[in-house]
RNA sequence: GCGCCAAUAGCUCAGCUGGAUAGAGCAACGGAUUUCUAAUCCGUAGGUCAGGGGUUCGAAUCCCUUUUGGCGUGCCA
């Protein structure tokens, strides 16, 4: 839409033999008085032609006026061009949207670019928490939108199933298991995992294996416990995510990377590039050469790799798999670590620009206005499951993507529960449900769109009707903007606005009026198209679109 | 100390990457229901866009600076 107008503007400039650069913009003005679209083309290019912006705009307006699609083209303010489209233009567009059905907004915009979206990637040492829930909603919505726009997105979860933290997990299970067999644990170590789920894991293991494990060597026993706990926790996380409507194409295991020797591969590449050195019995990476604030340890003096090495290896595999863009969705506590990761990628001779990092800010959980303090070690966490169970999948998904990724998210559980009727997600779903019941009424009144004559759309002359069509025309652009900026919250805002426009229209004008079947048909055509757009938007957000509420 | 993110209505947040008189929802107050669902709608009130400077036709948006808050700054992950 905007593209079409841009093209017309460019053509008019060529015709008038004016100099221009095409970084001008075509926008939808806030104030309807300023027309349906406006452009700053004359403002930007006036200097180039040594003209007064208004004078230049005037010439352009006269040239553009000749086109049939424009009802009028006006010059306003310091030299804006304001376009008002003709009604018939909008009606043509409405037909286009209607015929596109569930595909409106879909395109090959992404040109099949392969996009890896890595998100959640929570440690397999406990149930998923609310931060993971935010990441899950974010990553999955991005995936759905990019998929819809003709990218080839790929969802991946990186499982840190090796290293220190899983050893601690095994020891934590061991202690709880011993408790079940009568051992008194005076003081549960502070670094161990304290959550109730550890006790559950021990009990489940005990039910399966009994006291048998006590006769294993300590090493074998811990290994057994580690594998058991990892498997169980993975199942738990998988279940939570599925309940949330989030799937992954791949779960990448750190353990597997280690077994396949990718760590060594990455290390050897770094050594070949002469980016490693030994100091104090440890192996270091010269990340400061690539802009990191200091060098980092790769191999600790005890001979074990730091967590950094598997991360380098993991990113190496991302590059080896040939993605055009790789997006890491990280929590805010990881931003200090990205410079060293990017340094490693540069040292490996890879294109660092293909890696993009999105930081999601914290989720502050409130209960009745009071902040809930969460601590994994102390076992005080609010899990993703608890949130979903309390507020429902639909509301939870909406809440978690409703905000800009870079802003903190305050989530009040009590409020989300008690005020669920004022919840924006219900407002949107209600619009969808209302249209379904209008459809029912239309059926009873024998008003339908069989053999619909599109000439009837001429009956749609209300301002509200034009505004609704305009809003739907915007939809594909909204989606493209979301894909470019990686900001799915714009879809939540858009859909909320669209639903609001419908509610206002609905309460002001009757859709079905048996005395005026022609107008009724035209309006039915409009709102059924609208309903489809709402349904597409909800689907992209992973939210259900009910016919009844 | 250094680095990252933020600061917009009483509260929670948008503001389409520089456009015209800064917008929603909640909360407050006043109204609308013999009607296609009132989970809705209409109206009133609410602002020094944290402060100061700069860039230009034009700034909530970009740059500098000050203030405030969150996070990071391990041979933890």
């Amino acid at each position: 839409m905007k593209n079409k107008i841009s093209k017309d503007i460019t053509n008019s400039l060529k015709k008038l033999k004016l100099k221009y650069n095409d970084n001008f913009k075509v926008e939808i003005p806030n104030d309807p008085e300023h027309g349906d679209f406006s452009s700053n083309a004359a403002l930007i290019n006036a200097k180039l032609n040594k003209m007064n912006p208004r004078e230049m705009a005037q010439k352009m307006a006269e040239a553009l006026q000749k086109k049939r699609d424009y009802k009028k083209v006006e010059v306003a303010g310091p030299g804006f061009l304001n376009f008002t489209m003709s009604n018939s233009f909008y009606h043509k567009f409405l037909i286009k949207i209607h015929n596109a059905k569930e595909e409106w907004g879909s395109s090959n915009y992404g040109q099949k670019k392969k996009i890896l979206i890595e998100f959640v990637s929570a440690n397999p040492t406990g149930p998923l928490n609310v931060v993971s829930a935010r990441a899950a909603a974010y990553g999955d919505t991005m995936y759905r939108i990019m998929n819809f726009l003709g990218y080839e997105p790929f969802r991946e979860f990186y499982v840190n199933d090796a290293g220190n933290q899983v050893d601690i997990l095994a020891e934590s299970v061991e202690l709880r298991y011993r408790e079940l067999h009568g051992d008194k644990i005076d003081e549960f170590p502070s670094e161990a995992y304290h959550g109730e789920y550890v006790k559950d894991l021990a009990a489940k293991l005990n039910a399966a294996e009994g006291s048998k494990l006590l006769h294993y060597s300590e090493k074998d026993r811990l290994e057994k416990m580690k594998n058991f706990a990892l498997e169980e926790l993975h199942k738990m996380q998988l279940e939570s995510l599925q309940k949330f409507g989030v799937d992954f194409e791949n779960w990448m295991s750190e353990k597997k990377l280690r077994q396949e020797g990718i760590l060594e591969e990455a290390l050897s590449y770094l050594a070949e590039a002469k980016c490693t050195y030994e100091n104090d019995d440890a192996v270091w990476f010269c990340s400061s050469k690539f802009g990191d604030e200091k060098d980092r340890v790769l191999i600790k003096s005890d001979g074990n790799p730091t967590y950094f090495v598997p991360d380098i290896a993991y990113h190496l595999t991302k590059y080896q798999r040939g993605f055009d863009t790789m997006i890491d969705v990280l929590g805010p506590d990881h931003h200090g670590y990205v410079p060293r990761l990017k340094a490693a990628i540069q040292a490996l001779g890879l294109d660092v620009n293909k890696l993009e990092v999105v930081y999601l800010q914290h989720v502050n959980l409130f209960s009745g206005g009071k902040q809930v303090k969460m601590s994994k070690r102390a076992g005080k966490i609010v899990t993703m499951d608890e949130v979903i169970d309390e507020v429902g999948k639909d509301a939870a998904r909406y809440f978690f993507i409703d905000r800009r990724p870079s802003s903190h998210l305050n989530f009040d559980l009590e409020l989300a529960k008690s005020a669920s009727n004022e919840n924006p997600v219900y407002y949107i779903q209600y619009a969808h449900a209302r249209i379904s019941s209008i459809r029912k009424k239309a059926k009873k009144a024998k008003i339908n769109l069989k053999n619909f004559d599109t000439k009837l759309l001429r009956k749609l002359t209300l301002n509200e009707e034009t505004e609704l069509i305009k809003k739907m025309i915007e939809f594909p652009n909204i989606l493209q903007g979301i894909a470019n900026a990686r900001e799915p919250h714009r879809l939540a805002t858009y859909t909320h606005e669209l639903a609001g426009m419908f509610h206002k229209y609905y309460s002001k004008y009757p859709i079905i009026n048996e005395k005026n079947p022609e107008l009724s048909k035209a309006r039915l055509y409009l709102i059924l198209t609208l309903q489809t757009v709402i349904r597409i938007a909800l689907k992209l957000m992973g939210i259900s679109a009910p016919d009844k509420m």
Side-chain angles (χ1 to χ4, degrees):
Chain A
M1 188 54 231
K2 289 181 186 171
N3 294 346
K4 180 205 150 29
I5 294 174
S6 297
K7 238 181 236 168
D8 286 350
I9 290 173
T10 312
N11 286 337
S12 78
L13 284 162
K14 277 184 194 155
K15 240 183 223 171
L16 292 165
K17 301 205 169 103
L18 291 167
K19 292 182 200 159
Y20 69 95
N21 58 29
D22 49 12
N23 62 357
F24 61 84
K25 280 177 35 174
V26 174
E27 291 182 315
I28 297 169
N30 296 325
D31 187 343
E33 291 283 306
H34 299 137
D36 297 332
F37 295 91
S38 77
S39 175
N40 60 354
L43 285 168
I44 297 248
N45 291 306
K47 228 178 219 174
L48 217 56
N49 293 292
K50 293 185 182 149
M51 284 173 92
N52 164 321
R54 275 200 71 108
E55 182 193 338
M56 178 166 170
Q58 192 53 48
K59 287 201 166 174
M60 293 169 69
E62 281 162 21
L64 286 158
Q65 188 69 259
K66 291 173 188 158
K67 291 220 152 215
R68 223 184 5 179
D69 287 334
Y70 303 116
K71 195 163 154 192
K72 56 182 178 185
V73 182
E74 291 171 313
V75 179
F80 286 102
L81 281 167
N82 290 342
F83 300 85
T84 305
M85 313 305 285
S86 58
N87 272 346
S88 65
F89 171 82
Y90 283 117
H91 297 156
K92 269 191 280 178
F93 232 110
L94 177 60
I95 295 167
K96 193 172 161 187
I97 300 170
H98 187 269
N99 291 340
K101 293 184 182 145
E102 307 284 331
E103 299 300 318
W104 178 239
S106 159
S107 62
N108 54 9
Y109 180 77
Q111 299 176 311
K112 297 199 169 180
K113 283 194 188 126
K114 289 177 72 182
I115 315 285
L116 177 70
I117 313 172
E118 183 215 328
F119 59 107
V120 184
S121 296
N123 277 336
T125 53
L128 296 174
N129 60 23
V130 282
V131 182
S132 299
R134 182 177 193 184
Y138 174 87
D140 190 59
T141 306
M142 275 313 296
Y143 167 85
R144 288 172 192 240
I145 291 169
M146 291 187 125
N147 200 33
F148 197 60
L149 290 181
Y151 292 88
E152 282 185 11
F154 189 90
R155 290 165 291 187
E156 190 160 272
F157 188 124
Y158 178 50
V159 189
N160 296 106
D161 52 1
N164 231 339
Q165 79 283 4
V166 284
D167 291 333
I168 294 171
L169 174 70
E171 283 157 25
S172 308
V173 175
E174 153 103 350
L175 287 172
R176 294 302 187 198
Y177 177 79
R178 286 180 166 283
E179 265 182 343
L180 290 174
H181 289 278
D183 278 16
K184 277 245 161 45
I185 313 294
D186 296 334
E187 208 177 310
F188 206 69
S190 64
E191 72 274 13
Y193 293 102
H194 286 233
E196 284 298 311
Y197 64 92
V198 180
K199 289 183 189 168
D200 297 342
L201 284 174
K204 200 164 175 187
L205 181 62
N206 193 45
E209 304 281 347
S211 60
K212 202 166 76 187
L213 296 178
L214 293 171
H215 308 297
Y216 283 31
S217 73
E218 191 182 357
K219 194 183 158 219
D220 289 348
R221 185 168 64 241
L222 283 172
E223 189 63 24
K224 175 92 189 164
M225 291 188 169
K226 191 201 285 186
N227 291 334
F228 177 81
L230 283 175
E231 202 176 307
E232 288 296 318
L233 286 165
H234 171 69
K235 263 192 253 167
M236 269 174 67
Q237 295 187 346
L238 188 66
E239 244 171 69
S240 303
L241 287 163
Q242 278 174 348
K243 205 157 76 175
F244 206 39
V246 179
D247 287 310
F248 288 87
E249 276 70 38
N250 190 33
W251 294 69
M252 182 62 95
S253 154
E254 178 184 343
K255 195 158 86 184
K256 219 168 129 198
L257 288 178
R258 288 180 187 240
Q259 284 163 355
E260 288 173 356
I262 319 270
L263 273 63
E264 287 77 5
E265 190 185 341
L267 284 171
S268 71
Y269 290 158
L270 287 177
E272 271 172 42
K274 299 203 164 47
C275 295
T276 61
Y277 62 90
E278 273 190 53
N279 190 23
D280 294 337
D281 296 326
V283 179
W284 294 71
F285 167 53
C286 63
S287 43
S288 57
K289 274 193 196 162
F290 298 94
D292 194 12
E293 51 188 29
K294 59 179 183 179
D295 290 353
R296 309 288 174 174
V297 171
L298 293 167
I299 308 290
K300 295 185 268 186
S301 50
D302 68 3
N304 286 315
T306 61
Y307 71 95
F308 184 31
V309 181
D311 261 4
I312 297 171
Y314 174 42
H315 281 84
L316 178 62
T317 73
K318 289 188 181 181
Y319 277 89
Q320 286 169 340
R321 286 180 280 159
F323 292 102
D324 294 299
T325 300
M326 291 152 276
I327 304 174
D328 285 11
V329 181
L330 299 179
D333 47 338
H334 284 83
H335 65 246
Y337 130 102
V338 170
R340 80 189 70 162
L341 182 64
K342 290 198 166 170
I345 286 162
Q346 281 173 278
L348 291 169
L350 302 167
D351 181 3
V352 76
N353 293 321
K354 287 186 174 181
L355 178 69
E356 216 179 282
V357 180
V358 174
Y359 301 103
L360 293 180
Q361 292 297 315
H362 270 295
V363 176
N364 296 319
L365 214 52
F366 290 81
S367 184
K370 264 183 161 177
Q371 186 160 6
V372 182
K373 287 275 173 202
M374 289 180 283
S375 152
K376 197 178 250 183
R377 287 279 151 83
K380 268 197 267 167
I381 47 173
V382 176
T383 65
M384 182 162 145
D385 285 344
E386 284 166 348
V387 174
I388 301 170
D389 291 345
E390 283 196 39
V391 309
K393 181 191 96 169
D394 288 344
R397 280 194 72 128
Y398 188 88
F399 266 75
F400 281 123
I401 62 152
D402 186 38
R403 285 177 177 91
R404 222 163 68 237
S406 57
S407 76
H408 292 237
L409 186 135
N410 288 340
F411 195 114
D412 194 317
L413 288 167
E414 295 302 317
L415 200 74
K417 262 194 307 181
S418 66
S420 64
N421 283 356
E422 286 101 46
N423 201 311
V425 72
Y426 292 105
Y427 183 83
I428 296 166
Q429 289 178 317
Y430 186 44
H432 187 272
R434 267 185 159 173
I435 295 172
S436 288
S437 58
I438 295 171
R439 188 207 303 261
K440 266 183 224 154
K441 185 181 171 182
K443 208 172 175 184
K444 267 189 201 160
K446 300 210 166 121
I447 287 170
N448 60 59
L449 300 182
K450 267 180 206 156
N451 305 319
F452 180 76
D453 180 357
T454 52
K455 283 190 187 124
L456 289 180
L457 293 178
R458 286 186 198 148
K459 302 269 176 195
L460 301 178
T461 54
L462 291 168
N463 221 355
E464 284 85 347
E465 288 159 347
T466 309
E467 291 301 316
L468 275 169
I469 299 169
K470 271 162 74 176
K471 192 77 178 173
M472 291 190 279
I473 292 173
E474 247 187 283
F475 186 59
N477 285 325
I478 296 284
L479 294 179
Q480 289 167 15
I482 292 168
N484 291 334
R486 328 292 194 211
E487 290 189 345
H489 74 279
R490 294 183 196 176
L491 184 56
T493 309
Y494 170 85
T495 316
H496 191 244
E497 284 167 0
L498 188 63
M501 288 169 75
F502 166 73
H503 285 306
K504 287 176 177 62
Y505 177 59
Y506 169 95
S507 56
K508 210 165 159 187
Y509 306 101
I511 310 297
I512 304 302
N513 179 356
E514 291 176 52
K515 286 177 195 152
N516 194 344
E518 292 199 336
L519 179 63
S520 299
K521 280 185 188 179
R523 287 184 173 170
L524 185 65
Y525 187 93
L526 172 67
I527 63 155
L528 288 182
T529 309
L530 174 66
Q531 187 187 36
T532 306
V533 177
I534 293 176
R535 188 162 50 241
I536 297 167
L538 286 172
K539 197 173 162 195
L540 290 173
M541 293 188 281
I543 299 170
S544 61
D547 288 314
K548 224 201 299 194
M549 286 177 79

